[in-house]
Amino acid sequence: MEVGARVWVPVSIAETRVSKRFDCIPSGTLHPNADEIDYLRRLVKYKDYAILVLNKPPKLPVKGSLPVHNSMDALAAAALSYDYDEGPKLVHRLDRESSGLLLMGRTKESINHLHWLFNDINPAKSSCKAWNDACDAKFQRYWALVIGTPKENEGLIRSPLSKILLHDGKTERVILAQNVGLEPSQEAVTEYRVLGPMINGCSWVELRPLTSRKHQLRVHCAEALGTPIVGDYKYGWFVHRKWKQMPRVDIEQRTGKPYKLRRPEGLDVQKGSVLSKVPLLHLHCRELVLPNIAKFLPLLSNNAETLSPGLSGKPDLLRFVASMPKHMKISWNLMSSYLV
């Protein structure tokens, strides 16, 4: 840096002073009733003294800011503290429109180690081999329904991402970096695997992000593979305009019997699925594998190299699988009826 150098600051940073005082609105102002607390606690798939794992529904924002108040961190702070003085904190993000497994830390120590775990910068190794091996085994797997099908059934996408501002000067968009050296970019790597044949112009794809970039999977599907995710109008609007949506199915292809999800005319229970005129985003964090923080935390806090006898019998890894939201289940069942 030199005196007089110009620094370009993203809008999200420039607006921090405005939105900062709204970041923690939730716990002090939200007072959920018993039904709301019961609903939120039914989203919890796992809880120990160190972490919470939830199955986030679609359209629920993860992080609250102006003008969003009913975010996941807000609701968790108000309803998921259990016997703790404070509610759990976010350690990674999911897009507002996506669904699936969301991890939260319950103590200051676990939050610090989980932030370290989800950091894309390769951190220093611990002196405990079991912890290092468990960290190396950590991964997330998403299921997505895409329009079209990738040219290869599986592969590795290495396409750096950049952020740009649209003409309104406020809206931020993520694009594939052009590698011309004029714009900052971040490395983004995604493994993908096609789960089955293309049906009615769509394919189910499994995605495993090896880096954690904003909108990484959505941009990689839309721009790197050329197969945008169903319901992603931000990055796949040009394909959605031409996409011929799946016709209403009343008869199962294999048996010839009435389709089991059939409902009386006029009742739109298929809202958001591939039958809907405006389908919801079909992107779901289905599987999460991570180190058993509750097992390793005493060891990491004391900088020890071996576990105590009482903890050595616990598993090194925790694995979670979350069911798909209703609109994706309907799409899955509809398309599976075509499979032989």
PDB file of all heavy atoms in Angstrom, residues 307-334:
ATOM      1  N   LEU A 307      -6.270 -38.770  24.506  1.00  0.00           N
ATOM      2  CA  LEU A 307      -7.581 -38.617  25.109  1.00  0.00           C
ATOM      3  C   LEU A 307      -7.643 -39.336  26.447  1.00  0.00           C
ATOM      4  O   LEU A 307      -6.948 -40.335  26.670  1.00  0.00           O
ATOM      5  CB  LEU A 307      -8.657 -39.182  24.183  1.00  0.00           C
ATOM      6  CG  LEU A 307      -8.892 -38.424  22.870  1.00  0.00           C
ATOM      7  CD1 LEU A 307      -9.653 -39.292  21.884  1.00  0.00           C
ATOM      8  CD2 LEU A 307      -9.663 -37.147  23.139  1.00  0.00           C
ATOM      9  N   SER A 308      -8.516 -38.840  27.314  1.00  0.00           N
ATOM     10  CA  SER A 308      -8.732 -39.525  28.589  1.00  0.00           C
ATOM     11  C   SER A 308      -9.488 -40.820  28.354  1.00  0.00           C
ATOM     12  O   SER A 308     -10.216 -40.951  27.354  1.00  0.00           O
ATOM     13  CB  SER A 308      -9.526 -38.620  29.532  1.00  0.00           C
ATOM     14  OG  SER A 308     -10.817 -38.370  29.000  1.00  0.00           O
ATOM     15  N   PRO A 309      -9.342 -41.817  29.235  1.00  0.00           N
ATOM     16  CA  PRO A 309     -10.022 -43.107  29.039  1.00  0.00           C
ATOM     17  C   PRO A 309     -11.529 -42.973  28.885  1.00  0.00           C
ATOM     18  O   PRO A 309     -12.154 -43.733  28.139  1.00  0.00           O
ATOM     19  CB  PRO A 309      -9.649 -43.879  30.312  1.00  0.00           C
ATOM     20  CG  PRO A 309      -8.371 -43.267  30.770  1.00  0.00           C
ATOM     21  CD  PRO A 309      -8.471 -41.821  30.409  1.00  0.00           C
ATOM     22  N   GLY A 310     -12.140 -42.008  29.560  1.00  0.00           N
ATOM     23  CA  GLY A 310     -13.588 -41.859  29.474  1.00  0.00           C
ATOM     24  C   GLY A 310     -14.081 -41.375  28.122  1.00  0.00           C
ATOM     25  O   GLY A 310     -15.245 -41.592  27.767  1.00  0.00           O
ATOM     26  N   LEU A 311     -13.209 -40.735  27.334  1.00  0.00           N
ATOM     27  CA  LEU A 311     -13.604 -40.194  26.031  1.00  0.00           C
ATOM     28  C   LEU A 311     -13.152 -41.052  24.858  1.00  0.00           C
ATOM     29  O   LEU A 311     -13.698 -40.932  23.762  1.00  0.00           O
ATOM     30  CB  LEU A 311     -13.031 -38.782  25.855  1.00  0.00           C
ATOM     31  CG  LEU A 311     -13.551 -37.705  26.805  1.00  0.00           C
ATOM     32  CD1 LEU A 311     -12.763 -36.418  26.606  1.00  0.00           C
ATOM     33  CD2 LEU A 311     -15.035 -37.457  26.589  1.00  0.00           C
ATOM     34  N   SER A 312     -12.170 -41.890  25.081  1.00  0.00           N
ATOM     35  CA  SER A 312     -11.582 -42.655  23.965  1.00  0.00           C
ATOM     36  C   SER A 312     -12.585 -43.608  23.317  1.00  0.00           C
ATOM     37  O   SER A 312     -12.433 -43.968  22.153  1.00  0.00           O
ATOM     38  CB  SER A 312     -10.355 -43.438  24.457  1.00  0.00           C
ATOM     39  OG  SER A 312     -10.714 -44.302  25.522  1.00  0.00           O
ATOM     40  N   GLY A 313     -13.618 -44.015  24.051  1.00  0.00           N
ATOM     41  CA  GLY A 313     -14.594 -44.949  23.486  1.00  0.00           C
ATOM     42  C   GLY A 313     -15.635 -44.296  22.595  1.00  0.00           C
ATOM     43  O   GLY A 313     -16.368 -44.987  21.886  1.00  0.00           O
ATOM     44  N   LYS A 314     -15.714 -42.975  22.608  1.00  0.00           N
ATOM     45  CA  LYS A 314     -16.692 -42.273  21.780  1.00  0.00           C
ATOM     46  C   LYS A 314     -16.198 -42.185  20.339  1.00  0.00           C
ATOM     47  O   LYS A 314     -14.990 -42.171  20.086  1.00  0.00           O
ATOM     48  CB  LYS A 314     -16.949 -40.872  22.339  1.00  0.00           C
ATOM     49  CG  LYS A 314     -17.599 -40.877  23.717  1.00  0.00           C
ATOM     50  CD  LYS A 314     -17.908 -39.465  24.184  1.00  0.00           C
ATOM     51  CE  LYS A 314     -18.595 -39.477  25.546  1.00  0.00           C
ATOM     52  NZ  LYS A 314     -18.928 -38.107  26.010  1.00  0.00           N
ATOM     53  N   PRO A 315     -17.118 -42.103  19.356  1.00  0.00           N
ATOM     54  CA  PRO A 315     -16.697 -42.045  17.939  1.00  0.00           C
ATOM     55  C   PRO A 315     -15.939 -40.761  17.622  1.00  0.00           C
ATOM     56  O   PRO A 315     -16.230 -39.695  18.183  1.00  0.00           O
ATOM     57  CB  PRO A 315     -18.027 -42.113  17.181  1.00  0.00           C
ATOM     58  CG  PRO A 315     -19.048 -41.609  18.146  1.00  0.00           C
ATOM     59  CD  PRO A 315     -18.583 -42.059  19.501  1.00  0.00           C
ATOM     60  N   ASP A 316     -14.977 -40.867  16.710  1.00  0.00           N
ATOM     61  CA  ASP A 316     -14.217 -39.685  16.291  1.00  0.00           C
ATOM     62  C   ASP A 316     -15.031 -38.787  15.369  1.00  0.00           C
ATOM     63  O   ASP A 316     -14.820 -37.576  15.325  1.00  0.00           O
ATOM     64  CB  ASP A 316     -12.937 -40.110  15.561  1.00  0.00           C
ATOM     65  CG  ASP A 316     -11.919 -40.736  16.502  1.00  0.00           C
ATOM     66  OD1 ASP A 316     -12.129 -40.685  17.727  1.00  0.00           O
ATOM     67  OD2 ASP A 316     -10.914 -41.283  16.004  1.00  0.00           O
ATOM     68  N   LEU A 317     -15.951 -39.394  14.610  1.00  0.00           N
ATOM     69  CA  LEU A 317     -16.738 -38.657  13.625  1.00  0.00           C
ATOM     70  C   LEU A 317     -18.228 -38.763  13.920  1.00  0.00           C
ATOM     71  O   LEU A 317     -18.701 -39.786  14.430  1.00  0.00           O
ATOM     72  CB  LEU A 317     -16.473 -39.188  12.215  1.00  0.00           C
ATOM     73  CG  LEU A 317     -15.081 -38.971  11.621  1.00  0.00           C
ATOM     74  CD1 LEU A 317     -14.935 -39.745  10.327  1.00  0.00           C
ATOM     75  CD2 LEU A 317     -14.833 -37.482  11.384  1.00  0.00           C
ATOM     76  N   LEU A 318     -18.944 -37.706  13.574  1.00  0.00           N
ATOM     77  CA  LEU A 318     -20.397 -37.711  13.620  1.00  0.00           C
ATOM     78  C   LEU A 318     -20.919 -37.555  12.195  1.00  0.00           C
ATOM     79  O   LEU A 318     -20.413 -36.736  11.426  1.00  0.00           O
ATOM     80  CB  LEU A 318     -20.921 -36.560  14.479  1.00  0.00           C
ATOM     81  CG  LEU A 318     -20.513 -36.550  15.958  1.00  0.00           C
ATOM     82  CD1 LEU A 318     -21.038 -35.286  16.639  1.00  0.00           C
ATOM     83  CD2 LEU A 318     -21.027 -37.794  16.681  1.00  0.00           C
ATOM     84  N   ARG A 319     -21.939 -38.352  11.844  1.00  0.00           N
ATOM     85  CA  ARG A 319     -22.519 -38.292  10.495  1.00  0.00           C
ATOM     86  C   ARG A 319     -24.020 -38.034  10.612  1.00  0.00           C
ATOM     87  O   ARG A 319     -24.723 -38.692  11.385  1.00  0.00           O
ATOM     88  CB  ARG A 319     -22.287 -39.597   9.739  1.00  0.00           C
ATOM     89  CG  ARG A 319     -22.915 -39.637   8.346  1.00  0.00           C
ATOM     90  CD  ARG A 319     -22.616 -40.943   7.631  1.00  0.00           C
ATOM     91  NE  ARG A 319     -23.238 -40.996   6.316  1.00  0.00           N
ATOM     92  CZ  ARG A 319     -24.437 -41.543   6.078  1.00  0.00           C
ATOM     93  NH1 ARG A 319     -25.124 -42.084   7.078  1.00  0.00           N
ATOM     94  NH2 ARG A 319     -24.945 -41.553   4.855  1.00  0.00           N
ATOM     95  N   PHE A 320     -24.499 -37.070   9.821  1.00  0.00           N
ATOM     96  CA  PHE A 320     -25.906 -36.712   9.838  1.00  0.00           C
ATOM     97  C   PHE A 320     -26.456 -36.724   8.417  1.00  0.00           C
ATOM     98  O   PHE A 320     -25.766 -36.345   7.471  1.00  0.00           O
ATOM     99  CB  PHE A 320     -26.105 -35.318  10.441  1.00  0.00           C
ATOM    100  CG  PHE A 320     -25.491 -35.155  11.809  1.00  0.00           C
ATOM    101  CD1 PHE A 320     -24.254 -34.537  11.948  1.00  0.00           C
ATOM    102  CD2 PHE A 320     -26.120 -35.637  12.932  1.00  0.00           C
ATOM    103  CE1 PHE A 320     -23.673 -34.391  13.189  1.00  0.00           C
ATOM    104  CE2 PHE A 320     -25.547 -35.499  14.188  1.00  0.00           C
ATOM    105  CZ  PHE A 320     -24.321 -34.879  14.316  1.00  0.00           C
ATOM    106  N   VAL A 321     -27.698 -37.167   8.280  1.00  0.00           N
ATOM    107  CA  VAL A 321     -28.401 -37.153   6.997  1.00  0.00           C
ATOM    108  C   VAL A 321     -29.764 -36.525   7.228  1.00  0.00           C
ATOM    109  O   VAL A 321     -30.495 -36.935   8.134  1.00  0.00           O
ATOM    110  CB  VAL A 321     -28.554 -38.572   6.415  1.00  0.00           C
ATOM    111  CG1 VAL A 321     -29.365 -38.524   5.120  1.00  0.00           C
ATOM    112  CG2 VAL A 321     -27.194 -39.206   6.155  1.00  0.00           C
ATOM    113  N   ALA A 322     -30.112 -35.521   6.424  1.00  0.00           N
ATOM    114  CA  ALA A 322     -31.362 -34.785   6.591  1.00  0.00           C
ATOM    115  C   ALA A 322     -32.310 -35.091   5.442  1.00  0.00           C
ATOM    116  O   ALA A 322     -31.903 -35.132   4.274  1.00  0.00           O
ATOM    117  CB  ALA A 322     -31.090 -33.280   6.661  1.00  0.00           C
ATOM    118  N   SER A 323     -33.568 -35.301   5.762  1.00  0.00           N
ATOM    119  CA  SER A 323     -34.583 -35.530   4.743  1.00  0.00           C
ATOM    120  C   SER A 323     -34.821 -34.257   3.942  1.00  0.00           C
ATOM    121  O   SER A 323     -34.648 -33.140   4.437  1.00  0.00           O
ATOM    122  CB  SER A 323     -35.887 -36.002   5.381  1.00  0.00           C
ATOM    123  OG  SER A 323     -36.369 -35.035   6.306  1.00  0.00           O
ATOM    124  N   MET A 324     -35.249 -34.418   2.696  1.00  0.00           N
ATOM    125  CA  MET A 324     -35.488 -33.276   1.815  1.00  0.00           C
ATOM    126  C   MET A 324     -36.763 -32.545   2.215  1.00  0.00           C
ATOM    127  O   MET A 324     -37.678 -33.142   2.794  1.00  0.00           O
ATOM    128  CB  MET A 324     -35.591 -33.749   0.363  1.00  0.00           C
ATOM    129  CG  MET A 324     -34.296 -34.266  -0.216  1.00  0.00           C
ATOM    130  SD  MET A 324     -34.413 -34.638  -1.983  1.00  0.00           S
ATOM    131  CE  MET A 324     -35.443 -36.112  -1.961  1.00  0.00           C
ATOM    132  N   PRO A 325     -36.860 -31.259   1.906  1.00  0.00           N
ATOM    133  CA  PRO A 325     -38.113 -30.525   2.151  1.00  0.00           C
ATOM    134  C   PRO A 325     -39.219 -31.045   1.235  1.00  0.00           C
ATOM    135  O   PRO A 325     -38.962 -31.745   0.253  1.00  0.00           O
ATOM    136  CB  PRO A 325     -37.744 -29.076   1.835  1.00  0.00           C
ATOM    137  CG  PRO A 325     -36.592 -29.177   0.890  1.00  0.00           C
ATOM    138  CD  PRO A 325     -35.823 -30.400   1.305  1.00  0.00           C
ATOM    139  N   LYS A 326     -40.454 -30.660   1.538  1.00  0.00           N
ATOM    140  CA  LYS A 326     -41.605 -31.234   0.848  1.00  0.00           C
ATOM    141  C   LYS A 326     -41.569 -31.025  -0.655  1.00  0.00           C
ATOM    142  O   LYS A 326     -41.886 -31.943  -1.423  1.00  0.00           O
ATOM    143  CB  LYS A 326     -42.899 -30.635   1.428  1.00  0.00           C
ATOM    144  CG  LYS A 326     -43.211 -31.111   2.831  1.00  0.00           C
ATOM    145  CD  LYS A 326     -44.528 -30.532   3.329  1.00  0.00           C
ATOM    146  CE  LYS A 326     -44.839 -31.037   4.744  1.00  0.00           C
ATOM    147  NZ  LYS A 326     -46.116 -30.459   5.247  1.00  0.00           N
ATOM    148  N   HIS A 327     -41.185 -29.818  -1.107  1.00  0.00           N
ATOM    149  CA  HIS A 327     -41.220 -29.572  -2.551  1.00  0.00           C
ATOM    150  C   HIS A 327     -40.215 -30.444  -3.294  1.00  0.00           C
ATOM    151  O   HIS A 327     -40.485 -30.896  -4.411  1.00  0.00           O
ATOM    152  CB  HIS A 327     -40.989 -28.090  -2.851  1.00  0.00           C
ATOM    153  CG  HIS A 327     -39.603 -27.610  -2.595  1.00  0.00           C
ATOM    154  ND1 HIS A 327     -39.139 -27.302  -1.333  1.00  0.00           N
ATOM    155  CD2 HIS A 327     -38.550 -27.384  -3.433  1.00  0.00           C
ATOM    156  CE1 HIS A 327     -37.896 -26.894  -1.406  1.00  0.00           C
ATOM    157  NE2 HIS A 327     -37.503 -26.932  -2.666  1.00  0.00           N
ATOM    158  N   MET A 328     -39.073 -30.754  -2.663  1.00  0.00           N
ATOM    159  CA  MET A 328     -38.090 -31.624  -3.302  1.00  0.00           C
ATOM    160  C   MET A 328     -38.516 -33.085  -3.223  1.00  0.00           C
ATOM    161  O   MET A 328     -38.239 -33.870  -4.142  1.00  0.00           O
ATOM    162  CB  MET A 328     -36.707 -31.418  -2.666  1.00  0.00           C
ATOM    163  CG  MET A 328     -36.069 -30.087  -3.008  1.00  0.00           C
ATOM    164  SD  MET A 328     -34.372 -29.882  -2.385  1.00  0.00           S
ATOM    165  CE  MET A 328     -33.480 -31.108  -3.353  1.00  0.00           C
ATOM    166  N   LYS A 329     -39.184 -33.470  -2.139  1.00  0.00           N
ATOM    167  CA  LYS A 329     -39.702 -34.841  -2.041  1.00  0.00           C
ATOM    168  C   LYS A 329     -40.725 -35.114  -3.144  1.00  0.00           C
ATOM    169  O   LYS A 329     -40.721 -36.187  -3.756  1.00  0.00           O
ATOM    170  CB  LYS A 329     -40.347 -35.070  -0.669  1.00  0.00           C
ATOM    171  CG  LYS A 329     -39.372 -35.239   0.477  1.00  0.00           C
ATOM    172  CD  LYS A 329     -40.125 -35.502   1.772  1.00  0.00           C
ATOM    173  CE  LYS A 329     -39.168 -35.679   2.946  1.00  0.00           C
ATOM    174  NZ  LYS A 329     -39.920 -35.900   4.217  1.00  0.00           N
ATOM    175  N   ILE A 330     -41.603 -34.129  -3.382  1.00  0.00           N
ATOM    176  CA  ILE A 330     -42.609 -34.293  -4.435  1.00  0.00           C
ATOM    177  C   ILE A 330     -41.930 -34.449  -5.792  1.00  0.00           C
ATOM    178  O   ILE A 330     -42.269 -35.336  -6.584  1.00  0.00           O
ATOM    179  CB  ILE A 330     -43.578 -33.099  -4.439  1.00  0.00           C
ATOM    180  CG1 ILE A 330     -44.403 -33.089  -3.149  1.00  0.00           C
ATOM    181  CG2 ILE A 330     -44.503 -33.150  -5.653  1.00  0.00           C
ATOM    182  CD1 ILE A 330     -45.244 -31.844  -2.975  1.00  0.00           C
ATOM    183  N   SER A 331     -40.937 -33.596  -6.068  1.00  0.00           N
ATOM    184  CA  SER A 331     -40.205 -33.687  -7.332  1.00  0.00           C
ATOM    185  C   SER A 331     -39.489 -35.026  -7.447  1.00  0.00           C
ATOM    186  O   SER A 331     -39.470 -35.659  -8.511  1.00  0.00           O
ATOM    187  CB  SER A 331     -39.193 -32.533  -7.438  1.00  0.00           C
ATOM    188  OG  SER A 331     -39.844 -31.288  -7.443  1.00  0.00           O
ATOM    189  N   TRP A 332     -38.887 -35.485  -6.346  1.00  0.00           N
ATOM    190  CA  TRP A 332     -38.185 -36.772  -6.354  1.00  0.00           C
ATOM    191  C   TRP A 332     -39.151 -37.911  -6.663  1.00  0.00           C
ATOM    192  O   TRP A 332     -38.881 -38.782  -7.488  1.00  0.00           O
ATOM    193  CB  TRP A 332     -37.495 -36.996  -5.010  1.00  0.00           C
ATOM    194  CG  TRP A 332     -36.819 -38.324  -4.874  1.00  0.00           C
ATOM    195  CD1 TRP A 332     -37.374 -39.486  -4.412  1.00  0.00           C
ATOM    196  CD2 TRP A 332     -35.472 -38.658  -5.234  1.00  0.00           C
ATOM    197  NE1 TRP A 332     -36.460 -40.502  -4.443  1.00  0.00           N
ATOM    198  CE2 TRP A 332     -35.291 -40.019  -4.946  1.00  0.00           C
ATOM    199  CE3 TRP A 332     -34.415 -37.911  -5.763  1.00  0.00           C
ATOM    200  CZ2 TRP A 332     -34.075 -40.664  -5.170  1.00  0.00           C
ATOM    201  CZ3 TRP A 332     -33.209 -38.551  -5.993  1.00  0.00           C
ATOM    202  CH2 TRP A 332     -33.047 -39.912  -5.697  1.00  0.00           C
ATOM    203  N   ASN A 333     -40.303 -37.907  -5.989  1.00  0.00           N
ATOM    204  CA  ASN A 333     -41.276 -38.985  -6.204  1.00  0.00           C
ATOM    205  C   ASN A 333     -41.840 -38.955  -7.611  1.00  0.00           C
ATOM    206  O   ASN A 333     -42.032 -39.999  -8.249  1.00  0.00           O
ATOM    207  CB  ASN A 333     -42.412 -38.873  -5.184  1.00  0.00           C
ATOM    208  CG  ASN A 333     -41.973 -39.211  -3.779  1.00  0.00           C
ATOM    209  OD1 ASN A 333     -40.984 -39.924  -3.586  1.00  0.00           O
ATOM    210  ND2 ASN A 333     -42.670 -38.701  -2.784  1.00  0.00           N
ATOM    211  N   LEU A 334     -42.116 -37.769  -8.115  1.00  0.00           N
ATOM    212  CA  LEU A 334     -42.639 -37.651  -9.470  1.00  0.00           C
ATOM    213  C   LEU A 334     -41.649 -38.174 -10.495  1.00  0.00           C
ATOM    214  O   LEU A 334     -42.002 -38.930 -11.398  1.00  0.00           O
ATOM    215  CB  LEU A 334     -42.963 -36.185  -9.770  1.00  0.00           C
ATOM    216  CG  LEU A 334     -44.213 -35.611  -9.125  1.00  0.00           C
ATOM    217  CD1 LEU A 334     -44.230 -34.108  -9.260  1.00  0.00           C
ATOM    218  CD2 LEU A 334     -45.464 -36.203  -9.745  1.00  0.00           C
TER     219      LEU A 334
END
